[in-house]
Amino acid sequence: MDKTTAAVKSQAAFRGFCVRKPQPLKELRVIMKTKAEAAEMRRRLIDCHLVDLIRRDEEEQLKITECIMSLLLRLDAIQGVNSFVRESRKAVTCELVNLQ
Amino acid sequence: MAKQNKAIGIDLGTCNSCVAVYQQKRVHIIENEAGSKTTPSMVAFTSAERLIGEAAKNQFMLNPQNTVFDIKRLIGRRFKDDTVQRDLGLWPFRVVRGKKKKPMVEVEFKGFTRKFSAEEISCMILWKLKKTSETFLKAKVRDAVITVPAYFSDAQRQATRDAATIAGLNVLQIMNEPIAAAIAYGLDNKSNSSSQAKFILVFDLGGGTFDISLLSIKKNVFKVVATDGDSHLGGSDFDNNLVDYCSQKFKQKYNGDISRNPRALRRLLTACERAKKCLSSAMETVIELESLSEDKDFRITITRTQFEELNMELFQKCIKSVDKCLAGAKVLRSEVEDVVLVGGSTRIPKLRQMIQRFFRGKELCNAINPDEAVAYGAAVQAAVLIGHRIDLTVMDVTPLSLGIDVEGDLMDVVVPKNTSIPTRKEVLYTTSLDNQAIINISVFQGERAHVEDNYYLGEFTLSGIPAAPRGEVSIAVCFEIDGSGILKVSAEHKNTGVRSEIVVNSEDVGGLSKEEMERALIDAERFEVEDEEIKKITVKRLDFEKYSYKMRERVRQEKLKGLMDMDEIENIEKYVKEAIEWAEGHDDAECEKLDEKMQELKTICNALVWTSCTDSDDSQGSHSDKEESEVES
């Protein structure tokens, strides 16, 4: 095998690894961000005034469900999770589903 | 020669549109502001503004009644057409019958109910694509080639042309999509040497429609020989099959029904779409949704084989269409030289394999991204038309026969179906009554024997025919179709030279009349101004908010310093707080109101700025302010 082929081969392997390697931290970061947003949403929903508004106004209701939906979809989009990440994701998902 | 002048190619699709330009000897697909190469063909109307493309798609769930899509299924059609009536029930937006039997989309826009024709909606999409390309090219864009499906009638082509004109585009050509795709693969040049006609099959399976077109090419001239397909078959059908399968599995596993839970279904649909895309490259993928329904987790592994099995019926339907198309044109599959794949769903490996097997292992043309192939070809053609290269002529054909009515309301075909254009055909007719001085000529399009079953294009009269017994007068009726498919019919009495003619234009085929066109043009300009206005207001709003937040921060600092009068500071604090609340509560504030508020806030906060300046004395501008006020006092 000549030098160039060898170089190409090892670089390909390395780059492939970079793409495929599990990135639990990155995933966790997305989950935490979503969690914070979910908490914010919950906080807002405690506000009686807003709840009242949502009950009366269909459009407001739709807006809130859409917000929750987009957060849920973001969580669903996380691929190739390990068991640890999965657990934390599940917690946030449950919270969001309950909010719905 | 035309270096400065760039011409774009536009693929105006049912679900997604794409725009491309030819520059520096290669075709560049232009990305939209969201960075994606295709733009959803969607327009949304809200109480405040008009949204086009990605923005419209994003707010679809919030505002389905006023989000218009699939407009290509309406353009150039009549309200009572079967296809229109069938599609009506599938759309969340309202379609009503407008003037001249045209379908109109009815939406709530800025608190008013407004009607838009299909041309106007298409125009908005085209306008958006034009803006996108102008941003990319940093120059004005005028010339464009726009593609339409091969089966589009004259009326539909004309309506598309009208839409482009309103959007401020100069349409160089209305081109057939399959031909554009074939050009993208350079199949036009490959045939240079051989003088024999060769066949190309274009297989287009997009987001919502499925089209098969058989082209023939001879000495650089393209012809559409036959078309087939299904107007309601596309990528979303594969997703739906997968969703059905998953919800069944879910039912088996947990005995829970999710088919009545729209939220769960939506999550599942999104996951299924992702899985489908994944399966085009991977052999298996996992769908994993936590708490899908009633706190039950759903996890399923889908293999490529499973996915293929689920959709086998649809795949086979596609192959059958290919077979039917070839049989209709009496072309053997071994005669097909090239097979071109277009549309995102042709990425499915099984489908490719089936097509390849159908054509006995022929190499398929799939090197160009199938989503972009049509726009790619259109861009090449546009470049050719403004003079970049000249070794190519594209010839289209008439999709339907054209003719006039003769005695007994029969259709007499003058230009048969699939005649290549431009063309000119002359036929001699005679009078049917003795001493007939006036002859009325109605022009029709279609394949049926009786004219009333065909599509009426227009009529005109030839008067001043000299008196003669019936059958003695000969009148030459001439059909002329120009390069972009616009039909001109003329009649002439040979001996006297009396002549009359009609251009089958927009008005006569149910397109836009001149006045409507002008109104639409004005509307288009107005909308552009309104969009600008909204942008201006948004900037003002942001400025206002930024300023008030800055002032709030300042007040807090001052409070800590304790150098200022406490009452005064609290007063300002109260005012800033009010301003912030006001801005939050008034999303729709007008420009002047914002200016006014800003001025007010600035006056109040000046005291703050002023005092802090006397402390730190860091800004020249404020310094002079101070001097002025001293002079005043």
Side-chain angles (χ1 to χ4, degrees), chain B residues 204-263:
Chain B
D204 181 351
L205 186 57
T209 56
F210 169 50
D211 300 315
I212 299 266
S213 326
L214 184 67
L215 311 175
S216 80
I217 177 168
K218 189 180 173 185
K219 289 186 184 150
N220 284 355
V221 176
F222 278 107
K223 258 192 201 178
V224 180
V225 182
T227 61
D228 205 292
D230 185 335
S231 59
H232 289 88
L233 176 66
S236 49
D237 292 297
F238 305 128
D239 299 339
N240 289 337
N241 277 346
L242 201 52
V243 168
D244 286 347
Y245 174 77
C246 289
S247 55
Q248 259 175 38
K249 284 277 155 190
F250 187 81
K251 204 168 178 177
Q252 276 173 20
K253 211 165 165 189
Y254 300 107
N255 200 23
D257 192 6
I258 54 164
S259 59
R260 261 180 242 104
N261 183 348
R263 282 177 202 140

Side-chain angles (χ1 to χ4, degrees), chain A residues 62-63 65-66 69 72-73 76-77 79 81 86 89-90 93-94 97-98 100, chain B residues 61-64 263 266-267 270 274 278 285-286 288-291 295 297 299:
Chain A
L62 201 58
K63 269 185 199 165
T65 23
E66 272 306 301
M69 200 65 196
L72 267 178
L73 291 178
D76 288 344
Q79 291 276 308
V81 284
R86 191 177 300 139
R89 180 173 76 163
K90 188 176 165 159
T93 310
C94 279
V97 170
N98 290 336
Q100 271 185 344
Chain B
M61 292 311 286
L62 282 175
N63 186 20
R263 282 177 202 140
R266 211 171 128 204
R267 284 178 70 194
T270 320
R274 191 168 41 235
C278 202
T285 186
V286 183
E288 202 172 23
L289 295 166
E290 269 117 16
S291 306
D295 275 344
D297 296 350
R299 189 189 153 89

Side-chain angles (χ1 to χ4, degrees), chain B residues 164-227:
Chain B
T165 313
I166 304 168
L169 288 167
N170 171 34
V171 182
L172 298 172
Q173 190 181 22
I174 295 283
M175 193 183 192
N176 281 331
E177 283 165 12
I179 295 183
I183 286 180
Y185 282 100
L187 299 179
D188 43 327
N189 292 333
K190 243 169 86 178
S191 74
N192 265 350
S193 49
S194 71
S195 60
Q196 221 189 337
K198 63 173 209 175
F199 294 103
I200 298 163
L201 188 105
V202 181
F203 187 99
D204 181 351
L205 186 57
T209 56
F210 169 50
D211 300 315
I212 299 266
S213 326
L214 184 67
L215 311 175
S216 80
I217 177 168
K218 189 180 173 185
K219 289 186 184 150
N220 284 355
V221 176
F222 278 107
K223 258 192 201 178
V224 180
V225 182
T227 61

